[in-house]
Amino acid sequence: MDKQIFGEVDQYINQLLLPDDPLWSDIIKSIEEAGLPPISVSANQGKFLQILVFLTKPKKVLELGTLGGFSTIWMARALPEGGKLITLEFNPVCARVAQHNIDRAGLADKVEIRIGKAIELLPQLLEAQEGPFDMIFIDADKPPYAEYFDFAVKLSRPGTLIICDNVIRDGKVLDPASTDEMVQGVQRFNLALAQDKRVDATIIQTVGLKEHDGMAITVVR
Ligand code: SAH
Ligand code: DHB
Ligand code: MG
């Protein structure tokens, strides 16, 4: 089967089920115009994250990797009354673009961008006892995914939902000799996940307009 069909079906689902709101295309345009890479989750994946927020009714959501705020805004729009989302981003250009998009979406009071390296911000969140978070979306740089996940569990309570993007990398995770550090990062993460007694986990493959990849879906015991 050729991969074109995945993109066409994604488009079909988009047209059927996603609101025709210029906000989404404007966010994608703002990312492009700032010269940032086109690596936001797809619109259907954004909707998927949003449905998970509706299900978990989180008071506190944590995101690692903001980019232009696309996934952030999909999630934040579904927060219950009083719900807050903290998103960690180390690139100040991303943070500026994302803040603009968050303001425009009317979510400035619900979303806080923290600028810095996730590996430095995560221990600060722990130290300041800002958890537990009810839902965590890990989507920053891939090499330290295992460390990010360990912090995520420490910032959780039993029942916290932790989602990790890009853990299949077009099937490159199958290659034990891969020299790609992003692939190596998620291979190491996937193995650690398999051994992790603190969570129940699965990985769902993702196909569509973006390259073939996968999201780990885990619940803290
Ligand atoms: N979640 C976004 C996409 C994130 S792309 C969406 O789907 O809309 C990954 C982001 O992680 C980029 O913006 C990149 O700048 C950021 N990032 C990379 N390394 C980081 C680090 N060490 N700490 C925090 N953010 C990082
Ligand atoms: C990359 C990062 C992502 O979060 C993503 O969804 C796709 C690609 C990357 O850094 O290549
Ligand atoms: Mg991603």
Side-chain angles (χ1 to χ4, degrees):
M1 186 157 40
D2 68 301
K3 288 188 179 176
Q4 198 184 328
I5 191 79
F6 297 138
E8 287 170 8
V9 170
D10 213 13
Q11 208 73 71
Y12 167 81
I13 301 167
N14 276 337
Q15 280 159 12
L16 270 179
L17 295 173
L18 297 189
D20 194 12
D21 184 339
L23 174 73
W24 305 115
S25 47
D26 288 353
I27 295 171
I28 297 304
K29 208 188 299 167
S30 74
I31 291 168
E32 206 177 291
E33 282 171 3
L36 297 169
I39 55 173
S40 309
V41 293
S42 70
N44 279 319
Q45 290 166 0
K47 180 74 179 282
F48 173 66
L49 291 170
Q50 179 168 84
I51 283 174
L52 294 178
V53 174
F54 279 128
L55 276 171
T56 52
K57 302 175 181 65
K59 288 282 178 209
K60 294 183 192 177
V61 178
L62 177 64
E63 176 178 63
L64 280 60
T66 318
L67 191 66
F70 191 77
S71 54
T72 318
I73 291 169
W74 272 108
M75 291 189 285
R77 279 203 158 175
L79 284 170
E81 190 66 35
K84 290 266 169 3
L85 187 155
I86 295 175
T87 182
L88 313 183
E89 172 57 57
F90 97 122
N91 180 342
V93 176
C94 294
R96 184 167 39 83
V97 171
Q99 189 65 59
H100 171 84
N101 290 327
I102 288 159
D103 292 349
R104 216 201 116 199
L107 293 165
D109 56 335
K110 294 190 167 184
V111 177
E112 183 192 339
I113 304 174
R114 301 244 172 121
I115 302 177
K117 288 190 176 174
I119 209 68
E120 288 163 13
L121 296 174
L122 287 163
Q124 290 171 19
L125 286 167
L126 254 185
E127 180 71 22
Q129 298 188 348
E130 291 188 74
F133 292 88
D134 307 297
M135 177 170 159
I136 301 179
F137 179 48
I138 301 180
D139 193 22
D141 51 326
K142 314 309 166 193
Y145 253 37
E147 287 73 25
Y148 292 164
F149 188 78
D150 189 53
F151 273 112
V153 175
K154 288 176 178 151
L155 287 161
S156 292
R157 53 153 174 90
T160 293
L161 178 65
I162 307 177
I163 309 289
C164 311
D165 196 23
N166 311 116
V167 300
I168 295 299
R169 308 300 307 190
D170 205 19
K172 294 191 184 85
V173 287
L174 298 181
D175 176 9
S178 175
T179 54
D180 179 332
E181 62 177 16
M182 294 204 271
V183 173
Q184 290 174 343
V186 295
Q187 285 172 324
R188 192 165 64 84
F189 163 72
N190 291 340
L191 277 176
L193 187 61
Q195 313 280 320
D196 200 324
K197 301 275 194 300
R198 300 170 298 175
V199 297
D200 290 299
T202 189
I203 297 173
I204 303 287
Q205 296 188 66
T206 54
V207 293
L209 291 164
K210 301 267 162 170
E211 76 165 5
H212 169 213
D213 216 316
M215 279 191 192
I217 303 194
T218 82
V219 179
V220 177
R221 286 178 179 159

